[in-house]
Every structure is written in structure tokens, then in C-alpha cells.
Amino acid sequence: MSDITIVDIAKQAGVSIKTVSRVINREEGVGPATRARVEDLIEKLGYRPNVSARSLSSRRSYLIGVVFMRVGAYHYVGEVQVGAMRACRRAGYHMVIEQVDDPGQARGPGLEQALKAGRFDGLVLTPPVCDDPEILAIIEAQGLSYVRVAPDRDFGRSPYVFMDDQQAAHDMTARLWDLGHRRIGFIDGPADHGSARRRREGYMTAMAERGARVKPEWIAPGDFMPLSGLEAGDRLLGLPEPPTAIFAANDSMAMGVLSAASKRGLSVPGDLSVVGFDDGPLAESSWPGLTTVHQPIAEMAEAATEMLIEGFGDPRFRSRTAARQLDYHIVERGSSASR
């Protein structure tokens, strides 16, 4: 119902236009019951605020920037966009994607100009952007509020959303051990991703707790892309005593391992168990289906965007430490089995 206006909402809710405006703009001065009634009507009637009109009557642009360092793990990027978009639509904001191709491009006038031109009210930062001190300094110098997704350091610097990558990787490794696997290989992620480091640490911790000595050759480098999974899988399966199970730090690399196994005529999971991390569409559509850790990517982006929008107008927001943790779970499919 595109012809629904703020006046209609006010009349049906039995409140003033100013009260409806305060609810839409997330301002204080509205009681919980009244706010809930207005929000229910907005949702029921399908009212969508006019961003241009709102920006003219306030100091806000109603634009949220979502920043990526590189577009490579397409499922991750897509899920972040879906989650951020959901939160933006509920609050009457628009989402804009900003991509930084490499660190050199980010650390200079290019990023400053992009942020100024974007007229963003605030930013959602994804890894590894969220951990780059120079990028954060540029953002802070412009007075922009931001919320980080899965940061690896400086946790008191801003609000953030995360899941426990280390514990999730620990649990997946322990599951493989319980299935009887003792030679468990691991494919690492990019060096600049804190989540990759935490997943490797979870793997190492689980192996150490079980008295296993992880040989250096059991850990192969990767970059979260399928080709690196294929190359790392070839390397691990070419060892004199190859692993009986391989844990890839994301699903895309696990797909590469499945290809490496097929190239060598190995059966999955008969000869080799393969597990991943993310639970994207590839995990369901591969053959066999991939056992993996379900990471709530869209939900983390949605929560980060909500935290950002909730903080507008609050002068304590930039200095307040706030964190929200979301849960993970292991999804068992056909790519892993008892040894």
C-alpha cells in the first residue's frame, strides 16, 4: 500500500504525527506500549518512509554503508547483504555496498572521498576491514559510527557482533576424532582474516586435548576460494601418510577438496571424510552433501545493522562497548563417516 502516509499511521494509532516520526526515527520520548502499537501498524500497513523527504527534514541521509575488503567468498558477501538489508528495510534505511579492493587502495584519499560522497549515517564493517587500524582511523576521523562483524582485536573500540569460531572449529575437530579419525588435515584461510586464525586455533586445541601431535604438513594454506582448496587437498592427499579426514576452514575450499579426492579416485566418505565451515548453498548441493558448521552470517549482519541504527542520536554510542554473540551448530551430511 504505497499510498499509506505518516498521517494515516498517526490516525489509526491515535497518536500525533510527531510521535510516529519519533518511532520511525528511533528517537526517545515514546513509551514502550505506544512504540509497539505504532511499529505494528507500520508493519501491518506496509508503510515505507520516504528517504529523501526524511533526509531533508533531518541531518541524516538514511543510508547505511556495508564495507568489504574483497569480493571473493560470494556466499558470505551475499548473506551479509541479505541480513543488512532486512534491518535497513524495517527501519526505513537504504543499504549501500562499498568495496575496498586491496589495503593500498583503502589507506588513502580514495576511502575518505568515498565515505564523504556516500553521506552515510553509519557503517557495517566486515572482515578484514573491521580489523584494519588505518581504515578505522579514517572512519573515526570523519565522525562516522560503525559496528563490526566478527572483529579479531580492539574489542573495546566499537560495538560488534560475533560467533565463537574457535569453539565451533574445536567441536568439528572433536566430532571427526570421535568418528575414529586420527590423521586430520586442516586447510587454513587468509592470513588477514581473524576468523581463519580462530578456526585454526580451535582445530589445534581440540587435537592437543586428545594428545595428538599435529604435524606441520597436516596444515595447508588456503584463501577461502575453491581453487586453493583443490591445491591444498592435492598437497594433503599426496603425503606419504595422507589424512583420513580434512577440515577446510570454509565450504568453498571444502568443495575444492572434494574435487581433489575425485581426481585421485578416492571415495568420500569411504576413503576420506571432508568437512567445511559456513553452511552455504554449496554445502547442500554438493555430492555428497557437505558436513559443515552453520555460521549465522545473515543474522550477524542483521544484528550489526540493528545495533548501528539503534545507536544513532546516542552520544555514548561510539565509546560504549557492546557485543552480541550468535550461536552456531554443526550440520551433518554425507561427506563424513566413521573410520
Side-chain angles (χ1 to χ4, degrees):
M1 300 177 66
S2 59
D3 55 343
I4 292 293
T5 69
I6 192 172
V7 176
D8 299 319
I9 300 294
K11 285 181 179 178
Q12 293 204 35
V15 299
S16 68
I17 294 174
K18 179 62 176 176
T19 296
V20 177
S21 177
R22 283 175 174 161
V23 172
I24 292 172
N25 293 319
R26 307 281 174 167
E27 296 174 355
E28 298 180 356
V30 182
T34 300
R35 186 180 296 275
R37 187 165 73 254
V38 172
E39 288 176 342
D40 287 345
L41 273 171
I42 289 172
E43 183 67 25
K44 177 182 176 181
L45 298 176
Y47 172 71
R48 291 294 177 265
N50 184 301
V51 174
S52 297
R54 293 171 76 195
S55 63
L56 286 173
S57 62
S58 70
R59 295 180 179 179
R60 301 183 199 169
S61 66
Y62 294 95
L63 298 176
I64 301 295
V66 181
V67 186
F68 297 92
M69 176 73 78
R70 62 174 69 88
V71 177
Y74 299 109
H75 164 66
Y76 182 88
V77 172
E79 287 293 290
V80 167
Q81 292 181 27
V82 166
M85 180 66 76
R86 285 200 298 248
C88 284
R89 283 182 172 171
R90 280 199 303 272
Y93 282 74
H94 283 192
M95 180 188 73
V96 178
I97 299 299
E98 282 291 339
Q99 179 184 341
V100 179
D101 290 326
D102 58 66
Q105 177 182 335
R107 299 185 179 97
L111 179 61
E112 295 180 42
Q113 292 170 2
L115 295 179
K116 288 177 181 177
R119 296 182 60 245
F120 301 113
D121 286 335
L123 303 172
V124 173
L125 307 180
T126 64
V129 174
C130 62
D131 290 317
D132 190 304
E134 294 185 47
I135 292 178
L136 296 183
I138 290 171
I139 293 169
E140 291 165 353
Q142 296 201 21
L144 281 170
S145 297
Y146 62 88
V147 175
R148 295 181 291 165
V149 177
D152 192 44
R153 60 181 73 94
D154 295 332
F155 298 109
R157 191 164 185 168
S158 76
Y160 63 95
V161 178
F162 72 106
M163 64 157 279
D164 195 337
D165 289 85
Q166 183 169 341
Q167 187 62 46
H170 172 283
D171 292 351
M172 179 61 86
T173 306
R175 179 188 175 283
L176 290 172
W177 185 276
D178 291 344
L179 288 173
H181 297 280
R182 296 298 180 265
R183 296 195 307 275
I184 303 172
F186 183 81
I187 302 180
D188 210 348
D192 59 356
H193 270 259
S195 59
R197 177 187 58 77
R198 291 191 296 273
R199 293 170 195 179
R200 182 179 65 254
E201 288 177 352
Y203 157 79
M204 295 292 292
T205 300
M207 295 292 279
E209 287 175 354
R210 285 151 183 78
R213 184 179 70 84
V214 176
K215 298 180 180 180
E217 59 267 29
W218 289 3
I219 301 179
D223 61 9
F224 281 168
M225 297 299 289
L227 180 59
S228 72
L230 172 61
E231 293 170 346
D234 262 338
R235 175 176 170 177
L236 291 170
L237 295 174
L239 294 173
E241 288 188 299
T244 62
I246 295 177
F247 179 8
N250 81 339
D251 290 349
S252 292
M253 295 192 298
M255 295 301 109
V257 177
L258 291 177
S259 296
S262 177
K263 188 172 71 171
R264 291 173 176 268
L266 299 176
S267 167
V268 176
D271 300 317
L272 174 72
S273 286
V274 179
V275 301
F277 201 112
D278 278 343
D279 194 26
L282 291 173
E284 277 190 307
S285 60
S286 68
W287 183 257
L290 184 67
T291 296
T292 186
V293 174
H294 176 78
Q295 179 180 199
I297 302 169
E299 290 80 2
M300 287 195 292
E302 184 174 8
T305 307
E306 287 176 345
M307 291 169 72
L308 181 64
I309 293 171
E310 288 168 2
F312 292 154
D314 185 342
R316 301 168 298 170
F317 186 65
R318 293 192 188 98
S319 62
R320 183 176 66 228
T321 300
R324 189 177 301 177
Q325 181 175 359
L326 276 68
D327 293 331
Y328 64 87
H329 61 272
I330 291 176
V331 180
E332 298 194 24
R333 297 190 178 97
S335 66
S336 59
S338 300
R339 182 62 180 165

